[in-house]
């Protein structure tokens, strides 16, 4: 009986932590990758669990027209959908006009190249096992922010200026850590304030010391928690042990760590299920409720400027025309 | 300001300020291998973008007139603008789809100048108007990377395969930007009288994935080069984008239109062309070219325009009173749009 009571109170603890959570990395569809849920299902499930916001990430398209449409059509669900501009080949690579248009529509993040990053392509060729598109696409044009001499290529500077001017988030995408450091230094020099590194321990090549250095630069560190939880639906143990996540959090600090799902792939658990698993993992690792809330909600809200976004949306709803 | 603009545009037209290699905003030369090669940025980007140059135009929203006409039963609007967009649209994609379905229409192609709509078409079919044949489109303007084969390949693959129409550059076409005397980035489709290799690659993809080609806002000569190259690749779904809507768009003469028609292109007439100065000329051209080669689309969506169904009905009534038969109207509103999308002929709305 005591066990049952303990299980129940743990479930309640997990569910109450879910309320107000923010998923900064949701791979819902439609997409060209096989997805287990679409954007509207992601929105509905997030709403049912009490999440505050979901940021949709597609590697091939700028999803902001869709998130703005759904924020209007599904306003009653009470979840803010966000998105951004992924600078892969399908949007022209380092294409400032894609960034300009995305921001005009409300994009809150600009991802440096992900699937068509030179680093991603090389890592995939050596068998990193990233999800693939359903059918083969055109051969990617590998993208890197550095020229042969290790200096930033000129296309990047004006893009950083635009990110700074509109105060949106710069994500390092799938660039290698050796590209991210010079990129972020230049970004800061040009006034970019919101910096994010996605899954630094996976594909990016960042050590714990690198993570400390990124945090010292003012960057937030996002871990794709799908890598550290059991996939309940298919009984697959975590890809990396939870202790590794704990060590990464220690390196990056609770104050600068964001846990986001990176879920949506067919066969994997759905994002909300994943959130329940990662909260459970964090409880087992000894994190307090306050610390967990920081990592699954408050840090993300600060990075994205979510309170400002909400105010902006309210203001534009009042504005005539 | 006007003089400065004119001066710069004159320079652009003379080719003095524009090079094949563009410059970034801080003046450095861009190596185009990793960024769009068909986009040209003027040394001074005064007008910024087509939506910025739209800024400040405030209009009163139009009223829904609820017009009813048999022409709507089975109609497909190949040119349906929707929100969200970078400039104000009166209705969003869900609202337009529901309205079209309620009015008995068979389908819609969503058009946005700056971002593709294959994913939106998918969501609209499932959540807004199940049964309506909704498709997305892609316009090869600057935000998509200009003439970007990778964008087309992606677009053809989006879940549901509702990505259908590929527009050559529209508001960002070199022809439109320079003929309006604007100083803002533009997309080239040709250089030295020949299509860019990227254009040919895009046409290869349109042929391979059985997409529909719309010619955009290019010059008449470029339009013909594109249609010829398309025909050589076996592309038989071609829309000549609203010829003679104005000099900033494709503005061919009758001979050029006949040449494109002979290669299988349909002539798109947008509803507003029948309600403005020059309408008699447009009607005479439809008659001369033949309704079997023409398509009427709404091009509606801007704040203040009649909604898509109302616009189609008004166009149909104008054409009817000009003497076109019901069969002619079926061709221009229903049959030709279906054929150019590769859909089976069907005269009524889909069975419930």
């Amino acid at each position: 009986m005591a066990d049952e009571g303990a299980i129940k109170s743990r479930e309640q603890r997990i569910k109450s932590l879910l309320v107000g959570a923010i998923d900064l990395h949701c791979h819902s569809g439609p997409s060209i990758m096989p997805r287990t849920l679409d954007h509207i299902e992601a929105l509905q499930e997030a709403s049912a669990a009490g999440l505050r916001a979901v940021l949709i990430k597609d590697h091939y398209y700028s999803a902001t027209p869709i998130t703005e449409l759904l924020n209007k059509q599904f306003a009653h669900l009470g979840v803010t959908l966000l998105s951004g501009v992924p600078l892969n080949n399908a949007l022209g690579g380092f294409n400032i006009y894609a960034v300009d248009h995305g921001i005009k529509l409300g994009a809150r993040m600009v991802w440096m190249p992900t699937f068509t990053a030179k680093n991603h392509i090389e890592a995939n060729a050596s068998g990193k096992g990233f999800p693939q598109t359903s059918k083969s696409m055109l051969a990617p044009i590998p993208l890197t922010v550095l020229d042969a001499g290790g200096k930033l290529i000129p296309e990047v500077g004006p893009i950083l200026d635009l990110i700074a001017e509109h105060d949106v988030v710069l994500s390092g995408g799938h660039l290698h850590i050796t590209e991210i450091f010079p990129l972020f230094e230049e970004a800061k020099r040009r006034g970019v304030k919101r910096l994010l590194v996605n899954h630094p321990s996976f594909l990016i090549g960042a050590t714990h010391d690198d993570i400390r250095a990124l945090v010292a630069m003012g960057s937030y560190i996002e871990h794709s928690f799908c890598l550290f939880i059991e996939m309940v639906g298919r009984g697959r143990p975590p890809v990396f042990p939870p202790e590794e996540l704990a060590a990464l959090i220690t390196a990056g600090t609770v104050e600068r760590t964001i846990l986001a799902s990176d879920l949506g792939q067919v066969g994997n658990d759905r994002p909300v299920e994943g959130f329940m698993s990662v909260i459970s993992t964090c409880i087992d690792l000894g994190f307090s409720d306050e610390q967990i809330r920081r990592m699954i909600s408050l840090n993300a809200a600060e990075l994205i400027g979510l309170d400002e976004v909400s105010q902006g949306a309210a203001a534009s709803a009042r504005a005539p025309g | 300001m006007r003089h400065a603009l004119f001066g710069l545009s004159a320079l652009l037209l003379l080719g003095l300020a524009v090079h094949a290699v563009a410059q970034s905003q801080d003046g450095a030369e861009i190596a185009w291998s990793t960024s769009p090669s068909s986009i040209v940025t003027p040394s001074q980007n005064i007008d910024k973008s087509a939506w910025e140059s739209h800024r400040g135009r405030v209009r009163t929203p139009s009223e829904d007139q609820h017009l009813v006409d048999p022409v709507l039963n089975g109609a497909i609007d190949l040119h349906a603008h929707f929100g969200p967009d970078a400039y104000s649209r009166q209705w969003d994609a869900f609202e337009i789809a529901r309205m079209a379905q309620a009015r008995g229409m068979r389908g819609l192609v969503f058009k946005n100048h700056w971002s593709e709509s294959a994913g939106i078409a998918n969501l609209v079919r499932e959540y807004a108007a199940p049964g309506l044949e909704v498709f997305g489109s892609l316009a090869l303007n600057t935000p998509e990377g200009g003439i970007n084969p990778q964008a087309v390949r992606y677009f053809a693959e989006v879940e549901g395969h509702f990505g259908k129409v590929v527009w050559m550059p529209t508001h960002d076409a070199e022809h439109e930007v320079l003929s309006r005397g604007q100083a803002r980035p533009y997309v080239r489709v040709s250089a030295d009288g020949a299509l860019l290799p990227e254009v040919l690659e895009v046409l290869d993809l349109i042929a391979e994935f059985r997409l529909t080609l719309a010619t955009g806002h290019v010059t008449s000569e470029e339009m013909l080069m594109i249609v010829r190259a398309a025909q050589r690749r076996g592309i038989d779904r071609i829309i000549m984008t609203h010829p003679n809507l104005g000099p900033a768009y494709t503005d061919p003469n009758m001979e050029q239109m006949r040449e494109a028609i002979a290669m299988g292109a349909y002539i798109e007439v947008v509803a507003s062309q029948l309600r403005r100065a020059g309408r008699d000329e447009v009607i005479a051209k439809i008659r001369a070219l033949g309704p079997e080669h023409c398509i009427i689309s709404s091009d509606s969506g801007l704040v203040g325009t009649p909604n898509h169904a109302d616009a189609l009905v008004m166009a149909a009534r104008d054409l009817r009173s000009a003497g076109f038969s019901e069969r002619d109207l079926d061709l221009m509103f229903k049959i030709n749009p279906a054929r150019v999308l590769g859909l089976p002929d069907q005269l009524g709305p889909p069975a419930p």
Side-chain angles (χ1 to χ4, degrees):
Chain A
M1 286 306 279
D3 277 0
E4 222 171 88
I7 290 169
K8 211 161 189 184
S9 82
R10 186 184 169 96
E11 262 178 29
Q12 277 169 353
R13 184 178 168 191
I14 291 172
K15 281 188 176 158
S16 77
L17 280 166
L18 258 180
V19 174
I22 295 170
D23 189 358
L24 275 195
H25 200 140
C26 175
H27 282 305
S28 42
S31 179
I32 59 171
M33 327 266 306
R35 299 304 188 197
T36 194
L37 77 178
D38 66 33
H39 305 318
I40 294 171
E41 290 167 323
L43 185 54
Q44 289 164 337
E45 291 177 18
S47 174
L51 267 67
R52 183 179 174 197
V54 174
L55 188 139
I56 287 171
K57 177 176 187 186
D58 194 282
H59 295 288
Y60 291 85
Y61 68 97
S62 184
T64 310
I66 291 181
T67 55
E68 292 303 302
L69 172 71
L70 300 186
N71 279 333
K72 180 181 160 201
Q73 285 288 338
F74 294 86
H76 58 280
L77 293 178
V79 178
T80 304
L81 277 187
L82 304 159
S83 192
V85 184
L87 295 179
N88 289 312
N89 297 156
L91 282 178
F94 295 111
N95 181 6
I96 191 169
Y97 310 114
V99 177
D100 189 26
H101 180 253
I103 288 173
K104 168 76 189 176
L105 285 191
R108 294 299 302 168
M109 193 176 291
V110 176
W111 290 277
M112 283 290 126
T114 58
F115 271 36
T116 61
K118 178 170 167 280
N119 179 52
H120 178 101
I121 293 162
E122 288 172 358
N124 234 10
S126 60
K128 270 279 181 187
F130 243 87
Q132 303 288 325
T133 54
S134 307
K135 285 193 191 151
S136 66
M137 303 298 287
L138 295 183
I141 302 160
L143 300 173
T144 165
V145 293
L146 302 179
D147 65 18
K151 292 174 86 172
L152 279 183
I153 56 172
E155 294 94 318
V156 173
I159 291 174
L160 297 177
D161 288 342
L162 208 50
I163 292 170
E165 182 188 344
H166 296 278
D167 199 22
V168 299
V169 180
L170 168 65
S171 155
H174 292 183
L175 298 179
H176 193 263
I177 186 68
T178 52
E179 298 173 87
I180 291 177
F181 277 123
L183 173 75
F184 278 14
E185 272 159 24
E186 181 64 13
K188 285 183 69 175
R189 201 179 68 74
R190 290 175 184 252
V192 175
K193 294 196 182 69
R194 304 177 191 273
L195 300 170
L196 179 67
V197 177
N198 295 105
H199 48 69
S201 63
F202 188 67
L203 192 74
I204 309 302
T207 64
H208 291 191
D209 279 343
D210 291 332
I211 290 173
R212 276 185 275 273
L214 290 165
V215 168
M217 290 179 89
S219 178
Y220 282 89
I221 305 295
E222 180 186 292
H223 298 295
S224 293
F225 67 62
C226 65
L227 296 169
F228 302 96
I229 57 170
E230 181 191 351
M231 281 300 139
V232 179
R234 54 176 169 184
R236 196 202 68 193
V239 177
F240 299 108
E243 292 70 29
E244 171 64 16
L245 179 61
L248 287 165
I249 293 171
T250 303
T253 74
V254 166
E255 287 65 36
R256 285 279 156 173
T257 296
I258 292 169
L259 302 177
S261 78
D262 203 350
L263 286 167
Q265 307 83 1
V266 168
N268 279 343
D269 293 350
R270 298 161 92 85
V272 168
E273 294 169 333
F275 262 93
M276 296 179 73
S277 296
V278 79
I279 292 169
S280 184
T281 298
C282 287
I283 290 172
D284 289 342
L285 289 170
F287 290 105
S288 70
D289 286 7
E290 196 192 332
Q291 290 176 315
I292 295 172
R293 224 169 241 129
R294 275 242 137 247
M295 297 189 287
I296 64 170
S297 172
L298 302 178
N299 290 340
E302 278 171 22
L303 169 68
I304 211 90
L306 194 54
D307 295 313
E308 297 147 50
V309 172
S310 308
Q311 280 167 14
S316 68
R318 284 192 304 271
Chain B
M1 185 63 185
R2 221 161 240 295
H3 283 290
L5 260 181
F6 175 78
L8 182 58
S9 65
L11 280 179
L12 288 168
L13 286 168
L14 290 169
L16 295 176
V18 183
H19 303 279
V21 178
Q23 294 191 320
S24 68
Q25 287 177 353
D26 52 8
E29 272 199 351
I30 284 177
W32 280 123
S33 58
T34 53
S35 52
S37 54
S38 59
I39 298 178
V40 179
T41 308
S43 53
Q44 260 189 298
N45 182 1
I46 294 167
D47 295 298
K48 291 188 174 175
S49 64
W51 62 87
E52 280 293 334
S53 52
H54 237 255
R55 188 198 279 276
R57 291 190 209 176
V58 180
R59 295 179 181 196
T60 313
S62 63
E63 299 268 340
D64 188 345
Q65 299 183 50
H66 302 283
L67 300 181
V68 179
D69 193 284
V71 84
L72 288 179
N73 296 323
I76 301 173
D77 184 359
L78 292 186
H79 199 141
H81 286 289
F82 65 98
D85 197 343
Y87 43 67
S88 49
R89 297 293 184 185
Q90 191 168 336
W91 310 271
D92 72 27
F94 274 43
E95 292 162 345
I96 292 164
R98 286 174 179 144
M99 182 273 302
Q101 190 166 45
R103 304 283 276 273
M105 288 173 60
R106 177 180 175 188
L108 292 170
V109 176
F110 282 130
K111 160 82 181 285
N112 182 298
H113 292 289
W114 329 111
S115 59
E116 55 81 22
S117 43
I120 284 187
N122 184 321
L123 293 173
V124 164
R125 279 181 181 238
E126 185 160 355
Y127 292 95
L132 191 71
E133 297 188 63
V134 180
F135 298 98
S137 66
L138 163 68
L140 297 173
N141 290 312
T142 58
E144 295 284 5
I147 308 297
N148 181 4
Q150 298 267 357
V152 178
R153 178 65 190 92
Y154 151 77
F155 173 73
E157 202 58 45
V158 177
E159 189 183 338
H161 298 279
F162 303 126
K164 202 74 157 181
V165 178
V166 177
W167 258 271
M168 285 292 158
T170 56
H171 280 326
D172 287 348
E174 174 176 19
H175 171 62
E176 173 167 343
V177 173
L178 298 190
S179 63
R180 288 188 191 282
Q182 293 177 327
R184 59 179 175 88
Y186 60 79
V187 180
R188 297 183 307 164
V189 296
S190 72
D192 303 323
L195 294 175
L196 300 184
E198 297 95 310
V199 173
L200 302 179
E201 199 179 341
V202 162
L203 293 174
D204 286 342
L205 289 163
I206 290 173
E208 181 181 351
F209 293 97
R210 303 289 285 144
L211 303 173
T212 300
L213 165 70
T215 55
H217 300 178
V218 299
T219 67
S220 300
E221 293 73 24
E222 288 171 333
M223 178 275 292
L224 281 174
M225 286 194 285
I226 290 167
V227 174
R228 283 183 207 121
Q231 193 204 23
R232 278 198 296 276
R233 284 162 176 75
I235 298 171
D236 56 359
R237 299 169 184 174
I238 304 173
I239 304 165
M240 188 196 297
T241 303
H242 51 57
N244 306 144
L245 182 60
Y249 312 114
T250 307
D251 206 21
N253 58 35
M254 287 297 277
E255 198 183 329
Q256 290 169 316
M257 285 194 273
R258 285 204 173 95
E259 185 180 346
I261 286 172
M263 292 185 277
Y266 288 95
I267 305 294
E268 180 194 33
V269 176
V270 298
S272 65
Q273 286 180 276
L274 297 167
R275 311 205 69 102
R276 61 164 79 186
R279 67 180 287 275
D280 293 342
E281 206 183 324
V282 171
I283 287 170
K285 282 177 186 169
I286 296 174
R287 196 171 281 123
L289 296 169
E292 65 276 23
H293 301 298
C294 296
I295 289 172
I296 313 291
S297 66
S298 79
D299 198 8
S300 284
L302 271 182
V303 177
T305 56
N307 71 38
H308 306 65
D310 283 345
L312 291 181
V313 171
M314 286 187 252
R317 289 179 180 171
D318 292 339
L319 290 166
R320 213 181 264 127
S321 59
F324 288 94
S325 69
E326 294 306 308
R327 173 65 188 168
D328 293 335
L329 298 184
D330 282 346
L331 282 168
M332 293 189 282
F333 290 79
K334 304 174 189 182
I335 295 172
N336 295 342
R339 286 182 182 163
V340 85
L341 294 174
L343 304 176
D345 290 356
Q346 178 186 300
L347 285 177

